[in-house]
């Protein structure tokens, strides 16, 4: 019971980090074969669709948390834990993710207004293989420096 609640909370809080560091799953094989213009359009459409879905989910999680507070809901498992704090942490993670996505959406709109396609790609596009390798090499170098 507790593991399930913990998983839900950790996942929602981890969404923002994965999104900001472009660590979410994509089908890169097809993506990098497309022209830059199509990739940018797909990135923006993906951002907007995901934002709408998360706004809906965020509203639902906040409503569920408010109902749990109002009715003093308890879990149906043997521990009978109060659900309001658990659902509150879950809802907070979703709301933070929505806020992060809104900020990124504003930054993307700013880059588009400036005509800076590279800036949009930096915000939304998955890292290329060479970027991933450079990041890993930098991490290894930093780790070796710390050990010295």
């Amino acid at each position: 019971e507790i593991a399930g609640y913990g998983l839900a909370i950790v996942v929602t809080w981890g969404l923002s980090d994965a999104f900001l560091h472009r660590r979410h799953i994509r089908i890169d094989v097809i993506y990098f074969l497309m022209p830059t213009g199509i990739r940018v359009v797909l990135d923006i459409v993906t951002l907007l669709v995901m934002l709408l879905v998360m706004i809906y989910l965020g509203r639902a999680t906040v409503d569920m948390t408010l109902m749990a507070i109002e009715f003093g809901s308890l879990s149906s498992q043997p521990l009978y834990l109060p659900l309001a704090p658990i659902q509150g942490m879950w809802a907070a993670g979703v709301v933070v993710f929505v806020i992060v996505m809104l900020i990124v959406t504003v930054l993307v709109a700013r880059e588009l207004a400036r005509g800076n396609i590279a800036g949009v790609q930096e915000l939304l596009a998955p890292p290329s293989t060479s970027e991933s390798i450079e990041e890993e090499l930098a991490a290894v170098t930093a780790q070796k420096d710390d050990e010295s």
Side-chain angles (χ1 to χ4, degrees):
E1 178 179 10
I2 293 173
Y5 296 139
L7 179 64
I9 293 166
V10 168
V11 166
T12 57
W13 281 94
L15 290 172
S16 296
D17 180 69
F19 179 71
L20 287 173
H21 292 98
R22 303 179 304 160
R23 292 188 175 124
H24 45 290
I25 297 172
R26 299 222 183 165
I27 304 173
D28 297 347
V29 174
I30 298 169
Y31 180 86
F32 287 112
L33 294 176
M34 296 180 188
T36 303
I38 292 174
R39 288 190 306 213
V40 169
V41 169
L42 289 175
D43 288 336
I44 293 169
V45 168
T46 301
L47 171 67
L48 295 175
V49 169
M50 192 166 56
L51 177 61
L52 290 174
V53 168
M54 292 310 296
I55 287 171
Y56 177 79
L57 181 62
R59 182 173 176 229
T61 59
V62 169
D63 288 347
M64 188 182 308
T65 301
L66 294 175
M67 285 193 322
I69 292 168
E70 181 180 347
F71 296 114
S73 301
L74 301 173
S75 67
S76 60
Q77 302 297 322
L79 294 177
Y80 299 106
L81 297 171
L83 290 177
I86 296 165
Q87 290 175 342
M89 289 184 280
W90 175 52
V94 174
V95 169
V96 166
F97 185 43
V98 168
I99 292 168
V100 166
M101 290 183 69
L102 286 169
I103 292 168
V104 170
T105 302
V106 169
L107 294 174
V108 167
R110 183 186 70 185
E111 295 303 320
L112 282 173
R114 292 179 177 171
N116 184 3
I117 299 302
V120 173
Q121 287 184 299
E122 187 176 320
L123 289 166
L124 297 179
S128 67
T129 304
S130 60
E131 288 174 326
S132 297
I133 291 170
E134 287 174 19
E135 183 180 318
E136 290 300 321
L137 288 174
V140 168
T141 303
Q143 184 179 5
K144 284 184 179 180
D145 291 344
D146 289 344
E147 291 173 0
S148 300

